[in-house]
Amino acid sequence: MNKTDAVQPAAFDDSVSRGNLFLSRVLREFGLTAVTIAVFAFFSIYAQYFFGLDNVYDIARVSTYTLIVGVPTTYLFIAGEFDLSIGPNFALCNVCMALAILNHDLNPWVAAGIAVLLGTGIGAVNGFVTTVIGVPSFIVTLGMLSVLSGLALVLTAGAAVNYPDNLESSFFTVTNGVIGGLNNLPVSILWGLAAVIIGAWVLRYTRFGYHVYATGGNPRAARAAGISTRGVKFWCFVLTGASCGVVGALQGGWLRQGDPVGGSDFTLLVVAAVIIGGVALTGGEGSVYGTLLGAWIIGMLYNGFILLGVQSYWNQFFIGLVIVLVASGELALKRRDDLGEFIRSSRRRLSRRLVPQAFAGRSARRQKGGPASS
Amino acid sequence: MMIDASRSDSAGGGSVAEEGVRRTVLSAEGISKQYGHVTALDSVDLSLAEGEIVALVGDNGAGKTTLVSILTGLIQPDAGELRLDSEPIWIDSPRRAQELGIATVFQDLALVNQRDVAANLFLGREPRRFGLVVDRRRMIREASAAIARLRVGLPNVRALASDLSGGQRQAVAVARAILRESRVLLLDEPTAALGVREARRVVEFVKELRADGRISILLISHNMDNVFELADRVVVFRQGKKVAERLVAETSMDEIVGLIVGGRFTGSSQ
């Protein structure tokens, strides 16, 4: 070995790029922002009344519930787990709050507290069975989906439970009020905004957030580095459950009732927002910003189709379609490099094989003035 | 021949002469592990001195991985004692192993692909400000310093782990262990997944660690060239038992290979 070799650092100059994850991530966030703006522009042009503060407030108010649950669900997905019981959890909390008010004359604030505790408890059960007993979360929460929706129906005999008409509480101001000074901004929008800001901050800047990414990205590496991946996953389940309780209470304050079947398509909405937002179901990737855009895209679709006069049954159809399209587009983006390389290499191979025979054809094409391929 | 060259290299490093003087850092005595009727480890002993590189070799199923898992805290032995600085230790979790300063770099390169080099270097012990927010600036600063000091040869600690080459990933994983001021490093097949040039770089990197002398390394490898180039001592496992221990300077590749396969194919070596 000569001297220059010894001085050189153990450098790895011949680095092989592995699909350039960074670039595809930037492109995706940028692309999703562009899609959101495009959807907004589309409806603004084609749907009357879409472009206006009142309507934007309305979309935001609807998206608030999706976001409050969507943010912890984002954590859960990034950590590599899944929750199908979001909707039923929300419905059961919603129903129990109504029953607590109606049958036990509880103050709405106390009843709301019970709803949140219940949701948290359900999340803890999901987390416990998944992380301690070790049942895959898909199965656990599929079972819970049935258990919880069944319970909600049993408790109410299948019918919605209305709050007493004369019930007055500051709780209704907080959940259903408007701020007059801001063109009647619905207060509930603020709760969604808070969920997004706090959620994004925790995921990005705290150790817990770092560990959520590590847990989903490479569980073995995370464990070997001393991160309690079970603990991380457990708390993600608990947060998701708690958020279902919060939304159950908010919805109760808004509609003044407990509806046992009110959460039937809520799971779809939340999961759709998270997936459209770019969270990899395989774990390790995603952002609250993406979920925010995902929730907004869904909110705009719902709202815009109604304004366009499309039958509301089409909503489910289109949301499903968007999920498949976005997921496909994202994969194409990730495979972009592979695809480009594949096309380049096959072109090389083709030309190498075809060149001898192709000469005649090419000169003929040139004479016709066709595109001269080098 | 190549073996002779690497042998004289080790002798030149003075490792044999110092053998008696070096303090034992980690030792395992009578470690056994059963899986049902299968004896994965049968009362094996192993010791690792300060700054020493010991190679652990053996065929598949010889018990190498079981021993590494025990030292990492992933599984617990049925019998036997582990000592660190002559103090008995009980490694009941990967976290405990880390606290004791025993770091492992696994076969499948334990990096989180979706995170950058800095986050990977501080995985599990991210520095914080006010006990709340991850101190990103300090992370970047210290990560850059470590990468420069260890001569990992990375352009930027903000690069995603997925964009690194195999050798860079291996180096980052090792740098993480060193950044944690680990005293014992377990390298599990550090070059198995790498191309020829990348593998070469990792070997050079480990050599620099040896020259540094602050960390003791247990090297698990099938690659005899690596073993003879890097290690001071070779320990051979066969079917859960330690069958031999040799100073690299006093053995040959033929002998070690013979010991690994049990003398069946190279009867001349025993």
Side-chain angles (χ1 to χ4, degrees), chain A residues 63 80 95 100 108 136-137 170 176 219-220 223 228 233 237 258 330 344 362:
Chain A
S63 307
V95 159
S137 58
S170 57
N176 197 21
R220 248 195 97 182
R223 260 197 308 278
S228 166
K233 287 178 174 179
F237 274 111
E330 203 169 284
R344 269 192 299 280
R362 191 180 290 179

Side-chain angles (χ1 to χ4, degrees), chain B residues 51 81 85 87 124 142 153 229:
Chain B
E81 195 170 49
D85 294 333
E87 295 287 317
E142 290 186 10
E229 186 165 3

Side-chain angles (χ1 to χ4, degrees), chain A:
Chain A
M1 289 225 163
N2 58 34
K3 248 187 184 153
T4 43
D5 263 9
V7 177
Q8 252 179 14
F12 302 90
D13 45 35
D14 49 346
S15 67
V16 186
S17 171
R18 301 182 172 215
N20 210 332
L21 203 59
F22 178 73
L23 197 65
S24 74
R25 188 179 291 178
V26 170
L27 278 177
R28 189 183 60 204
E29 300 242 306
F30 182 77
L32 198 63
T33 312
V35 167
T36 312
I37 293 170
V39 172
F40 187 80
F42 173 83
F43 284 120
S44 298
I45 293 167
Y46 291 104
Q48 218 184 348
Y49 308 119
F50 185 86
F51 188 79
L53 200 58
D54 283 351
N55 194 51
V56 170
Y57 279 173
D58 201 49
I59 299 169
R61 193 182 47 72
V62 174
S63 307
T64 278
Y65 295 163
T66 319
L67 280 175
I68 291 175
V69 181
V71 168
T73 305
T74 306
Y75 287 23
L76 188 68
F77 279 31
I78 293 173
E81 295 296 340
F82 199 79
D83 193 346
L84 281 170
S85 66
I86 291 168
N89 185 350
F90 150 76
L92 185 65
C93 295
N94 184 239
V95 159
C96 285
M97 179 174 169
L99 291 176
I101 290 173
L102 199 69
N103 296 350
H104 301 281
D105 288 326
L106 286 181
N107 181 300
W109 281 106
V110 179
I114 290 172
V116 174
L117 278 181
L118 179 65
T120 311
I122 292 167
V125 171
N126 281 338
F128 179 83
V129 179
T130 304
T131 60
V132 180
I133 301 179
V135 184
S137 58
F138 192 87
I139 295 170
V140 176
T141 58
L142 181 71
M144 281 301 257
L145 171 142
S146 192
V147 167
L148 300 177
S149 25
L151 259 181
L153 287 168
V154 167
L155 287 173
T156 57
V161 180
N162 289 310
Y163 295 4
D165 286 338
N166 54 358
L167 188 65
E168 294 285 337
S169 168
S170 57
F171 182 74
F172 298 112
T173 317
V174 168
T175 53
N176 197 21
V178 292
I179 300 173
L182 293 167
N183 294 313
N184 294 331
L185 176 88
V187 180
S188 65
I189 292 179
L190 298 179
W191 309 139
L193 198 66
V196 168
I197 292 171
I198 296 171
W201 182 81
V202 167
L203 189 59
R204 208 183 157 90
Y205 295 111
T206 68
R207 216 180 246 190
F208 180 72
Y210 274 73
H211 293 181
V212 167
Y213 279 111
T215 297
N218 187 345
R220 248 195 97 182
R223 260 197 308 278
I227 294 170
S228 166
T229 55
R230 284 179 180 186
V232 167
K233 287 178 174 179
F234 178 80
W235 287 113
C236 288
F237 274 111
V238 168
L239 284 174
T240 305
S243 71
C244 291
V246 169
V247 170
L250 285 178
Q251 169 110 327
W254 182 42
L255 297 177
R256 299 176 68 105
Q257 67 169 15
D259 186 356
V261 292
S264 53
D265 60 351
F266 192 59
T267 312
L268 174 74
L269 282 184
V270 172
V271 172
V274 173
I275 290 176
I276 292 172
V279 173
L281 274 186
T282 43
E285 277 181 80
S287 68
V288 171
Y289 176 67
T291 300
L292 171 68
L293 294 183
W296 261 85
I297 289 174
I298 288 174
M300 287 191 293
L301 289 179
Y302 254 98
N303 181 285
F305 284 134
I306 292 169
L307 291 179
L308 280 177
V310 178
Q311 201 186 20
S312 65
Y313 297 128
W314 280 102
N315 273 331
Q316 285 203 1
F317 174 87
F318 279 112
I319 288 174
L321 199 66
V322 169
I323 293 178
V324 176
L325 282 178
V326 167
S328 306
E330 203 169 284
L331 212 61
L333 209 64
K334 254 187 208 161
R335 290 198 186 142
R336 192 177 35 93
D337 290 348
D338 301 353
L339 248 147
E341 180 52 37
F342 175 74
I343 292 167
R344 269 192 299 280
S345 68
S346 47
R347 199 186 284 162
R348 267 198 304 275
R349 238 177 301 135
L350 256 171
S351 60
R352 215 176 296 138
R353 204 179 307 154
L354 294 181
V355 156
Q357 299 100 312
F359 262 112
R362 191 180 290 179
S363 52
R365 229 183 292 139
R366 233 176 246 155
Q367 278 167 355
K368 276 187 223 157
S373 57
S374 64

Side-chain angles (χ1 to χ4, degrees), chain A residues 1 6-23 25 201 203-211 213-218 220-228 282-285, chain B residues 74 94-95 98 106 108-115 119 123-128 132-134 136 139 151-153 160-169 171 176 180 197-198 200-202 204-205 208:
Chain A
M1 289 225 163
V7 177
Q8 252 179 14
F12 302 90
D13 45 35
D14 49 346
S15 67
V16 186
S17 171
R18 301 182 172 215
N20 210 332
L21 203 59
F22 178 73
L23 197 65
R25 188 179 291 178
W201 182 81
L203 189 59
R204 208 183 157 90
Y205 295 111
T206 68
R207 216 180 246 190
F208 180 72
Y210 274 73
H211 293 181
Y213 279 111
T215 297
N218 187 345
R220 248 195 97 182
R223 260 197 308 278
I227 294 170
S228 166
T282 43
E285 277 181 80
Chain B
L74 290 170
R95 181 174 279 276
Q98 277 198 4
F106 280 107
D108 57 353
L109 310 177
L111 298 187
V112 182
N113 274 336
Q114 297 89 342
R115 306 295 274 169
L123 193 66
R125 46 169 71 182
E126 297 81 3
R128 288 186 293 185
L132 191 65
V133 193
V134 171
R136 179 82 184 149
M139 233 166 84
R151 309 222 235 156
V152 178
L160 289 180
S162 62
D163 291 341
L164 304 184
S165 68
Q168 287 174 323
R169 293 161 65 79
R176 178 170 65 199
R180 286 174 184 184
R197 285 175 69 191
E198 285 283 314
R200 193 64 234 157
R201 298 266 154 73
V202 169
E204 294 301 324
F205 182 65
E208 289 195 12

Side-chain angles (χ1 to χ4, degrees), chain B residues 20-21 23 30 44 50 64 66-67 101 106 114 130 137-138 158 164 181 186 193 199 201 209 234 249 255-256 264 268:
Chain B
V21 194
R23 223 156 42 85
V44 299
E50 206 164 34
K64 295 172 294 176
T66 308
L67 184 66
F106 280 107
Q114 297 89 342
F130 321 119
R137 224 179 294 165
R138 188 176 142 204
R158 291 184 187 84
L164 304 184
E181 290 170 357
L186 310 179
R201 298 266 154 73
L209 293 182
V234 188
E255 188 194 7
I256 296 298
R264 272 170 292 158
S268 61

Side-chain angles (χ1 to χ4, degrees), chain B:
Chain B
M1 258 177 71
M2 201 174 166
I3 307 163
D4 295 330
S6 53
R7 209 195 271 190
S8 64
D9 187 35
S10 317
S15 53
V16 182
E18 283 170 21
E19 188 62 33
V21 194
R22 285 182 178 182
R23 223 156 42 85
T24 300
V25 177
L26 181 73
S27 67
E29 286 153 34
I31 300 291
S32 296
K33 181 72 186 176
Q34 287 265 343
Y35 289 111
H37 295 296
V38 182
T39 306
L41 281 180
D42 186 6
S43 189
V44 299
D45 303 326
L46 189 85
S47 76
L48 196 56
E50 206 164 34
E52 187 185 29
I53 300 185
V54 172
L56 179 56
V57 298
D59 213 342
N60 292 331
K64 295 172 294 176
T65 308
T66 308
L67 184 66
V68 171
S69 302
I70 287 170
L71 292 173
T72 312
L74 290 170
I75 57 173
Q76 270 68 53
D78 299 329
E81 195 170 49
L82 297 171
R83 287 169 181 275
L84 189 71
D85 294 333
S86 320
E87 295 287 317
I89 50 169
W90 182 246
I91 312 174
D92 52 4
S93 70
R95 181 174 279 276
R96 183 80 194 117
Q98 277 198 4
E99 285 164 4
L100 292 165
I102 302 169
T104 311
V105 176
F106 280 107
Q107 228 161 353
D108 57 353
L109 310 177
L111 298 187
V112 182
N113 274 336
Q114 297 89 342
R115 306 295 274 169
D116 64 12
V117 170
N120 269 294
L121 280 175
F122 286 94
L123 193 66
R125 46 169 71 182
E126 297 81 3
R128 288 186 293 185
R129 261 179 306 169
F130 321 119
L132 191 65
V133 193
V134 171
D135 194 342
R136 179 82 184 149
R137 224 179 294 165
R138 188 176 142 204
M139 233 166 84
I140 298 280
R141 197 174 57 232
E142 290 186 10
S144 303
I147 292 293
R149 178 165 56 89
L150 296 167
R151 309 222 235 156
V152 178
L154 273 182
N156 194 340
V157 293
R158 291 184 187 84
L160 289 180
S162 62
D163 291 341
L164 304 184
S165 68
Q168 287 174 323
R169 293 161 65 79
Q170 195 71 258
V172 169
V174 173
R176 178 170 65 199
I178 290 165
L179 204 61
R180 286 174 184 184
E181 290 170 357
S182 306
R183 309 186 47 210
V184 176
L185 184 62
L186 310 179
L187 284 178
D188 192 359
E189 294 287 1
T191 59
L194 306 179
V196 177
R197 285 175 69 191
E198 285 283 314
R200 193 64 234 157
R201 298 266 154 73
V202 169
V203 168
E204 294 301 324
F205 182 65
V206 175
K207 272 184 166 175
E208 289 195 12
L209 293 182
R210 183 174 64 182
D212 196 37
R214 270 183 291 189
I215 197 160
S216 310
I217 298 175
L218 183 64
L219 172 72
I220 294 92
S221 183
H222 277 106
N223 185 324
M224 284 301 138
D225 288 333
N226 287 354
V227 166
F228 275 78
E229 186 165 3
L230 295 172
D232 302 306
R233 262 190 307 143
V234 188
V235 171
V236 184
F237 276 18
R238 192 169 66 229
Q239 290 168 0
K241 291 195 177 83
K242 182 164 97 175
V243 292
E245 184 169 348
R246 299 277 187 278
L247 288 177
V248 164
E250 294 169 5
T251 185
S252 69
M253 250 187 234
D254 283 343
E255 188 194 7
I256 296 298
V257 171
L259 288 165
I260 290 173
V261 298
R264 272 170 292 158
F265 304 111
T266 49
S268 61
S269 67
Q270 276 283 317

